[in-house]
Amino acid sequence: MSRDLHRRRLMDAPWDAGLGMVGLRIEQRATSTEVLGTARSRRWRESANDEADLTRHDQYMLDALGLDGTEQLIYQALIRQPSASVDDLGDMTRLTPQQIHDALAALEKLDLVRPVPGPVVRYPPAPPDVALEALILRKEAELKLVRATALELDEAYHRALATQHPTGLVEIIVGREAVHERGLRLIGAARREVCGFDRPPYVSDPVATNPVELDMLAKGVNFRVVYDRTTLEIAGWWAGHYQSVAAAGEQARVLSGVPVKMYVVDGQTALVALQTGDHTIHACAIVRPSELLDALRSLFDALWRQAMPLPELGATAPDPEDLAPAQPVPTPFEATLVSLLAAGLGDEAISRQTGLSYRTLQRRVRSLMDQLGAQTRFQAGLQAAHRGWVRPPSAD
């Protein structure tokens, strides 16, 4: 009995051990599968979350182009899987076929997708750099029309206000940024002419170019500006600001003691500085058609006739070491030098504008006087005017 029992145990032991090993392998395989599945699921969720975050960001950005949330979701799905079908888009977005068809129709009208016929219709997206840029340009054009309409409505509003009560004739603008923004808007709305008195202080860099004025000059708007002599004494003003606007067509004159800083646009609206200090403008007045506006226009015309013309085209300053003798016919620099002298600028101010050292400038002035046959600067001015090197003040 004991031998049979022992044999049975020997025969049963491998069977039990085998089952244990098989069970262990099954358990290990199941655990590995579960871990792998969990990792894949985590990676899918992280990827889905990343795309969801990107989608939300893109949707926020594309709202400005007129695409609603569904249209943006479909377009982004097509970007990630070009040439997808309606069924593919349904699997990707969980939207209904009707929602997908409506979104695709809207995208097709905007030239963002191009359906390709076949057994299964595919919807390859248009390249974003081309398609979205076209939408951006279209929106910019629409915004320009809106801005023009807003300006017209603003003008109509203030015209109506002016006829109802005198308080509508003058509007007070307070704050440096508000003054700057209103000035740009006013000049940017000009259609025919801008007339101005220009003197310190400034709400922007006086040495920098003025892109708004350059844009308006390119559109054919006439600019006439009387600068105070102190403006011409600002280092770098001639080369940094004046040469660019003069070359673009600005007519400029200079006068000592310009009484006020102002601009009159199309003879209909004026901006007048009211309160200045700390090298900026704190408040200004917008003056609409009235007796006051007529007075400001008359003041400009009177001082324009008195002011000394500046060169209409920017002259390039010479190399400081270029000491070639003056020619019988004035060079652009010599014409500029005569204009600055006629404007009443001292040698130090002219030196700052031309880039010449003080001593070099004195030699150039002496050479110029010799050429004109003059012993004094007053006599040189008379000779320059007689020869037509400078334009005397006039009503032109």
Side-chain angles (χ1 to χ4, degrees):
M1 293 294 294
S2 61
R3 180 179 296 177
D4 292 340
L5 180 59
H6 178 69
R7 183 180 296 163
R8 181 177 297 176
R9 286 177 177 174
L10 291 175
M11 293 176 65
D12 290 346
W15 176 253
D16 294 337
L19 286 176
M21 291 301 294
V22 171
L24 179 60
R25 290 193 186 99
I26 292 175
E27 182 178 357
Q28 289 176 337
R29 190 171 299 169
T31 302
S32 299
T33 303
E34 180 180 355
V35 171
L36 180 59
T38 301
R40 287 176 176 172
S41 177
R42 184 185 303 111
R43 285 196 299 271
W44 182 88
R45 286 197 302 271
E46 290 174 352
S47 176
N49 288 336
D50 290 343
E51 291 193 3
D53 290 340
L54 179 60
T55 297
R56 285 193 295 271
H57 175 70
D58 289 350
Q59 284 182 359
Y60 175 77
M61 297 302 292
L62 296 179
D63 282 344
L65 298 180
L67 278 69
D68 65 26
T70 302
E71 294 160 3
Q72 293 180 56
L73 186 60
I74 292 297
Y75 182 65
Q76 291 176 71
L78 290 172
I79 293 297
R80 290 171 174 78
Q81 185 175 330
S83 299
S85 66
V86 172
D87 290 341
D88 296 332
L89 292 171
D91 293 338
M92 297 169 66
T93 63
R94 305 299 183 185
L95 296 174
T96 67
Q98 185 61 50
Q99 289 176 309
I100 294 172
H101 280 294
D102 291 343
L104 288 171
L107 294 174
E108 188 176 352
K109 288 181 180 179
L110 296 174
D111 296 325
L112 292 177
V113 297
R114 302 165 184 170
V116 177
V120 177
V121 180
R122 303 286 177 178
Y123 294 88
D129 61 337
V130 176
L132 295 181
E133 180 65 20
L135 287 180
I136 292 171
L137 293 176
R138 189 182 307 171
K139 285 294 179 182
E140 288 177 346
E142 292 174 357
L143 287 174
K144 287 183 179 180
L145 292 176
V146 171
R147 185 176 292 109
T149 302
L151 291 173
E152 292 177 358
L153 290 174
D154 183 67
E155 292 177 0
Y157 165 75
H158 288 292
R159 282 197 301 268
L161 189 62
T163 59
Q164 294 177 8
H165 198 278
T167 56
L169 299 176
V170 178
E171 178 185 359
I172 307 300
I173 308 298
V174 179
R176 177 184 177 278
E177 293 300 327
V179 170
H180 183 52
E181 189 272 338
R182 194 58 177 272
L184 292 179
R185 280 177 50 194
L186 184 64
I187 294 176
R191 298 179 181 178
R192 298 184 304 276
E193 183 179 55
V194 176
C195 300
F197 290 148
D198 193 295
R199 71 174 194 178
Y202 294 92
V203 294
S204 58
D205 186 1
V207 175
T209 57
N210 187 337
V212 175
E213 180 179 348
L214 293 177
D215 182 56
M216 301 310 293
L217 285 166
K219 294 178 180 178
V221 177
N222 186 43
F223 275 74
R224 292 191 296 154
V225 183
V226 178
Y227 291 98
D228 190 83
R229 188 171 62 86
T230 56
T231 294
L232 275 66
E233 294 177 354
I234 298 175
W237 176 86
W238 186 270
H241 171 81
Y242 179 69
Q243 285 188 352
S244 62
V245 294
E250 177 187 283
Q251 302 174 55
R253 298 187 177 189
V254 61
L255 184 71
S256 295
V258 170
V260 66
K261 189 183 185 76
M262 76 166 190
Y263 286 91
V264 180
V265 176
D266 294 333
Q268 297 297 312
T269 309
L271 183 148
V272 185
L274 291 182
Q275 192 176 56
T276 63
D278 299 328
H279 307 292
T280 190
I281 301 174
H282 299 299
C284 72
I286 304 297
V287 182
R288 298 184 175 83
S290 60
E291 295 292 331
L292 177 58
L293 180 62
D294 292 342
L296 293 174
R297 292 171 57 185
S298 297
L299 176 63
F300 176 83
D301 292 338
L303 296 187
W304 177 259
R305 288 190 292 268
Q306 297 178 26
M308 179 64 64
L310 290 175
E312 293 186 2
L313 295 178
T316 303
D319 187 325
E321 301 302 322
D322 179 16
L323 303 179
Q327 301 299 317
V329 177
T331 65
F333 171 72
E334 290 168 347
T336 297
L337 180 57
V338 170
S339 295
L340 294 176
L341 289 169
L345 267 68
D347 289 353
E348 291 185 1
I350 296 176
S351 176
R352 287 194 295 269
Q353 298 300 336
T354 59
L356 296 176
S357 69
Y358 182 80
R359 295 184 62 183
T360 299
L361 176 65
Q362 294 240 317
R363 287 197 294 268
R364 297 301 295 267
V365 171
R366 182 69 260 176
S367 176
L368 185 64
M369 292 173 60
D370 291 342
Q371 180 182 343
L372 293 169
Q375 297 301 314
T376 66
R377 293 194 179 191
F378 177 77
Q379 188 180 21
L382 292 177
Q383 289 290 345
H386 177 70
R387 298 188 186 192
W389 288 14
V390 292
R391 293 181 297 135
S394 68
D396 296 336

